[in-house]
């Protein structure tokens, strides 16, 4: 697959608005340029060319923006339409002497759920060669027809750090599911993690620390 490197400008304002406040004792955000390369894309929620990745210019986070990520149920939806997923393999290039972990992830989209229907957003992320982290699940119940948001936080003591001095892919997995539940199966319910204008993005917040000095 052709390697893609995407620019940072489009997500700058949104990333600044949602960046988590710094905690006492955190490592200084590294100087220089952090880039994120997409080295693998797979899943029904992100057909080729429908997922864009951008690093924040202040090195605090990166965004993933989807343009065709929608799960639906009812109203004659196909048997597999109730579940959509996306698996991204990302190569994060960081300044020498630093390593990173994902401290928080913010997921956003739109949900139209009939009374009795419900939708779920699931996610996890892990480094190539490491065991997968626990998959978080957020549920949204109908009736509702509005934007949704969910966040996953990791305590500092539980952070999983990229190995210093090694190039390991960061694997990011997400999933949407919609169930008709007790709603009328002829009524459509859906849940998306996309935006027609590109303004809705998933945001992954970095935590930084310095690598041990070579002996």
């Amino acid at each position: 697959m052709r390697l893609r490197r995407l620019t940072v400008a489009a997500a700058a304002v949104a990333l600044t608005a949602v960046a988590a406040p710094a905690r006492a004792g955190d490592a200084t955000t590294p100087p220089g340029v952090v880039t994120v390369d997409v080295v693998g894309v797979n899943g029904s929620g992100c057909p080729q060319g429908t997922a864009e990745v951008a690093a924040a210019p202040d090195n605090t986070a990166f965004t993933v923006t989807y343009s065709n990520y929608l799960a639906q149920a009812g109203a004659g939806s196909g048997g597999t339409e109730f579940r959509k997923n996306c698996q991204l393999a990302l190569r994060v290039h960081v300044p020498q002497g630093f390593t990173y972990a994902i401290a928080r992830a913010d997921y956003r989209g739109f949900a139209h759920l009939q009374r009795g229907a419900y939708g779920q957003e699931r996610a996890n992320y892990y480094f190539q060669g490491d065991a997968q982290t626990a998959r978080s699940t957020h549920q949204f119940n109908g009736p509702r027809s509005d934007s949704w948001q969910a966040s996953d936080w990791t305590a500092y003591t539980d952070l999983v750090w990229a190995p210093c001095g090694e190039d390991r892919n960061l694997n990011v997995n997400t999933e949407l599911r919609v169930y008709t539940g007790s709603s009328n199966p002829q009524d459509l319910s859906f849940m998306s993690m996309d935006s027609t204008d590109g303004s809705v993005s998933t945001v992954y917040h970095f935590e930084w620390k310095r690598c041990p000095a070579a002996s």
Side-chain angles (χ1 to χ4, degrees):
M1 175 173 293
R2 181 173 60 89
L3 192 69
R4 293 186 298 149
R5 176 167 292 173
L6 300 164
T7 57
V8 303
V13 174
L15 286 166
T16 301
V18 298
R23 297 192 296 270
D26 282 358
T28 302
T29 301
V33 177
V34 173
T35 62
V36 182
D37 294 336
V38 181
V39 296
V41 181
N42 185 43
S44 56
C46 53
Q48 189 67 32
T50 65
E52 298 290 330
V53 180
D58 61 0
N59 295 342
T60 60
F62 68 90
T63 63
V64 181
T65 305
Y66 304 96
S67 60
N68 189 23
Y69 201 156
L70 182 144
Q72 59 185 5
S77 299
T80 61
E81 292 297 304
F82 82 98
R83 175 185 179 273
K84 293 295 178 71
N85 73 301
C86 182
Q87 302 177 27
L88 299 177
L90 308 175
R91 183 67 56 86
V92 181
H93 300 274
V94 304
Q96 186 174 6
F98 287 85
T99 187
Y100 72 94
I102 302 299
R104 169 180 149 200
D106 298 322
Y107 305 94
R108 297 176 176 81
F110 187 86
H112 176 77
L113 301 170
Q114 305 291 341
R115 184 179 300 276
Y118 61 97
Q120 294 178 340
E121 178 271 326
R122 304 179 179 186
N124 72 332
Y125 33 88
Y126 60 97
F127 292 106
Q128 179 184 12
D130 292 341
Q132 293 194 25
T133 57
R135 184 178 296 271
S136 64
T137 300
H138 301 276
Q139 182 162 314
F140 303 87
N141 298 320
R144 67 178 295 160
S145 187
D146 58 10
S147 299
W148 62 268
Q149 179 173 341
S151 295
D152 294 332
W153 297 78
T154 302
Y156 189 87
T157 54
D158 295 328
L159 291 175
V160 178
W161 300 92
C164 285
E166 297 183 24
D167 286 329
R168 297 266 195 102
N169 290 347
L170 172 65
N171 296 302
V172 174
N173 298 323
T174 55
E175 182 179 338
L176 292 179
R177 295 190 178 208
V178 175
Y179 298 93
T180 55
S182 61
S183 68
N184 185 337
Q186 300 306 312
D187 293 336
L188 180 67
S189 292
F190 66 85
M191 188 171 173
S192 71
M193 204 181 326
D194 62 14
S195 173
T196 55
D197 62 4
S199 63
V200 177
S201 300
T202 299
V203 184
Y204 295 90
H205 302 268
F206 290 125
E207 188 76 34
W208 294 101
K209 73 175 182 180
R210 295 183 183 275
C211 292
S215 57

